[in-house]
Amino acid sequence: VRSLMTALPEVRDETIRLHAWQIYGLPNYLANRRRLVLNRSNNCHFVERMLIVHGWTRFPRLSTTLLSWQIKRLIHRQGRLKAIIYTLPQYAAVAAKFVDCVQVYYAYDAYRFYDNWNSNLIVNLEKQLLSHCDIAFAVSKPLQEDLAKLTTTPVFYSPNAVSGSFISQMSLENCERPSKLRGLSGKIIGCVGQMSKSAYNWALI
């Protein structure tokens, strides 16, 4: 959600400094470390770092401690934070430690349907996280309705999409291909998001 956060007028107008962590479980980090960027700052008002945790499945308490320590360090350096934004239900125990802060749950997917994730556990974690948050956002109306059933915390629909005019423009036969795709022949299928074995009808494709 980097693009969403950096598009905030307050960040562009230099009135808010945004701190973000890319959080990786240790096994995932070891498998992908050559492709991961350890430290990056898009501009002086957006600081992004990587945090390696032991894993949310086998070591949730230790991982919670590591992330909580990072947030406490930031509060110690910067003072009271305007808000803390969580993007995964696994951060529920972290949110429990910062109830004095304004906290937000930004659900950019229906996590209970992820491969190899315990659906019942995810629902329980979302309940806990929502109970500690002041507000929540969901990227689709069905997801908004699902989350609203779990909590009294206000859940708003924040669409994750592009404009209809963009789709219409890209579907025109005379639409010029991007330079990186001009050498390809045949049909081109685009995907924005995560590719997984269960998300698509691979036989049909």
Side-chain angles (χ1 to χ4, degrees):
V1 294
R2 183 186 307 114
S3 58
L4 173 71
M5 300 306 171
T6 54
L8 291 170
E10 292 83 358
V11 176
R12 294 201 308 269
D13 296 340
E14 305 180 6
T15 57
I16 286 184
R17 180 180 293 273
L18 182 69
H19 293 263
W21 288 281
Q22 292 189 54
I23 301 174
Y24 294 92
L26 186 58
N28 183 262
Y29 167 73
L30 293 175
N32 298 280
R33 61 185 181 277
R34 291 183 179 179
R35 297 190 292 109
L36 301 178
V37 179
L38 289 176
N39 287 287
R40 176 170 57 230
S41 178
N42 290 2
N43 57 57
C44 61
H45 307 287
F46 179 70
V47 180
E48 187 174 23
R49 301 180 179 88
M50 180 181 291
L51 176 63
I52 311 301
V53 299
H54 288 68
W56 296 107
T57 302
R58 296 180 61 188
F59 304 101
R61 290 185 180 180
L62 184 54
S63 298
T64 294
T65 299
L66 289 171
L67 180 54
S68 300
W69 178 70
Q70 289 284 336
I71 296 175
K72 288 177 181 177
R73 282 186 63 198
L74 182 60
I75 293 174
H76 179 73
R77 294 199 312 265
Q78 302 287 332
R80 185 176 179 84
L81 305 180
K82 289 184 177 294
I84 303 174
I85 302 171
Y86 303 99
T87 55
L88 287 174
Q90 285 86 343
Y91 304 147
V94 178
K97 297 177 180 292
F98 298 97
V99 291
D100 292 336
C101 297
V102 174
Q103 300 194 99
V104 180
Y105 178 34
Y106 179 74
Y108 62 84
D109 219 337
Y111 306 111
R112 69 189 71 175
F113 300 113
Y114 273 27
D115 282 352
N116 302 319
W117 284 27
N118 184 318
S119 179
N120 291 331
L121 175 61
I122 294 301
V123 171
N124 287 332
L125 288 173
E126 282 189 317
K127 283 182 181 178
Q128 295 173 38
L129 179 56
L130 287 163
S131 71
H132 299 307
C133 286
D134 301 275
I135 194 170
F137 297 93
V139 297
S140 72
K141 288 185 177 179
L143 182 56
Q144 176 196 19
E145 294 170 1
D146 287 347
L147 294 179
K149 295 174 184 176
L150 303 178
T151 183
T152 57
T153 299
V155 182
F156 291 91
Y157 169 48
S158 178
N160 181 10
V162 296
S163 66
S165 60
F166 174 80
I167 297 296
S168 299
Q169 179 184 356
M170 294 300 291
S171 65
L172 297 176
E173 290 186 8
N174 60 354
C175 178
E176 184 177 358
R177 283 189 179 187
S179 58
K180 292 182 179 180
L181 303 180
R182 287 175 190 162
L184 300 179
S185 60
K187 298 291 184 180
I188 297 175
I189 297 176
C191 170
V192 177
Q194 185 181 46
M195 305 287 283
S196 75
K197 63 183 180 181
S198 66
Y200 305 95
N201 187 334
W202 291 110
L204 175 64
I205 292 175

